[in-house]
């Protein structure tokens, strides 16, 4: 299909016809500041910047780049929230994520009072991490974090898995349909 698309562009250009050709990719918006109750395709939070999604609907994925901060409050995100080397990833106040929340090799994260249809994954982060009062359709996994981890009163359809976190995770009151494993076995 892509070959045919490019062949059509080449043919139109070669014949001198300059007809508009629409891209088949979804649009990505660079968020620096605040987005209110609007609908966008995909969101990228650029390195070192802060993005506030207040009641925003994201049809795709939110990517939080190095040293960037995401504050999502009452947001509706169809895809994933992905933060790698991010300063902070906060998904709060009745936000909904259709995919997973993945925070890796960054600093802090707070996922509270929200619905996550996929997994919450905290891996190799150096700052404080919180998962509080969420409905999680998949598993909550926390591996090799060093800034402290609090996991309270979540309803988890999958497993609660914690390994190699220093200090040990704290919390309790979690309802887990699967198994509570390793460092989180008592939570």
């Amino acid at each position: 299909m892509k070959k045919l698309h490019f062949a059509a562009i080449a043919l139109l250009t070669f014949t001198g016809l300059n007809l508009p050709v629409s891209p088949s990719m979804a649009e990505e918006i660079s968020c620096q500041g605040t987005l209110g109750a609007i609908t966008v395709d995909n969101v990228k939070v650029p390195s070192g910047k802060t993005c506030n999604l207040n009641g925003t609907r994201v049809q795709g994925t939110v990517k939080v780049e190095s040293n960037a901060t995401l504050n999502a409050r009452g947001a509706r995100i169809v895809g994933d929230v992905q933060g790698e080397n991010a300063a902070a990833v906060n998904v709060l106040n009745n936000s909904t994520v259709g995919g997973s929340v993945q925070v890796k090799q960054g600093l802090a994260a707070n996922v509270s009072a929200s619905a996550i249809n996929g997994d919450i994954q905290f891996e190799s982060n150096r700052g404080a991490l919180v998962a509080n009062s969420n409905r999680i359709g998949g598993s909550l996994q926390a591996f090799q974090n060093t800034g402290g981890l609090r996991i309270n009163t979540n309803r988890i359809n999958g497993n609660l898995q914690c390994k190699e976190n220093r200090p040990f995770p704290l919390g309790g009151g979690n309802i887990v349909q699967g198994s509570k494993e390793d460092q989180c076995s008592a939570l």
Side-chain angles (χ1 to χ4, degrees):
M1 182 70 178
K2 284 185 177 182
K3 287 181 181 178
L4 180 61
H5 182 74
F6 288 117
I9 292 171
L11 179 62
L12 291 173
T13 302
F14 180 74
T15 58
L17 296 174
N18 289 322
L19 299 175
V21 178
S22 63
S24 59
M25 294 176 34
E27 184 177 327
E28 180 177 78
I29 186 169
S30 179
C31 178
Q32 303 173 50
T34 299
L35 296 178
I38 62 169
T39 299
V40 297
D41 287 337
N42 295 299
V43 173
K44 174 179 75 172
V45 185
S47 294
K49 302 298 181 184
T50 297
C51 174
N52 301 304
L53 301 178
N54 295 334
T56 310
R57 180 170 174 80
V58 180
Q59 299 287 77
T61 297
V62 176
K63 291 185 181 179
V64 187
E65 293 187 337
S66 177
N67 297 314
T69 298
L70 170 70
N71 297 309
R73 291 180 175 83
R76 301 290 179 258
I77 300 162
V78 174
D80 296 326
V81 174
Q82 301 169 335
E84 189 164 344
N85 298 307
V89 175
N90 301 306
V91 180
L92 310 167
N93 300 66
N94 296 312
S95 290
T96 301
V97 177
S100 296
V101 175
Q102 303 160 328
V103 183
K104 299 181 179 186
Q105 300 171 341
L107 290 177
N110 185 345
V111 182
S112 293
S114 294
I116 312 302
N117 291 336
D119 300 323
I120 294 177
Q121 300 171 335
F122 296 143
E123 184 178 333
S124 301
N125 297 290
R126 301 175 309 278
L129 304 170
V130 175
N132 185 49
S133 299
N134 298 296
R135 292 181 321 275
I136 303 167
S139 296
L140 193 158
Q141 302 168 322
F143 304 135
Q144 302 172 335
N145 300 290
T146 58
L149 173 61
R150 182 165 290 282
I151 302 171
N152 289 313
T153 61
N154 297 285
R155 298 180 69 84
I156 303 169
N157 286 343
N159 300 316
L160 175 55
Q161 303 166 310
C162 301
K163 294 181 184 177
E164 300 177 37
N165 297 289
R166 288 186 181 80
F168 267 55
L170 300 174
N174 297 290
I175 299 170
V176 180
Q177 296 302 313
S179 61
K180 294 181 181 180
E181 300 175 12
D182 297 313
Q183 293 177 322
C184 286
S185 61
L187 302 183

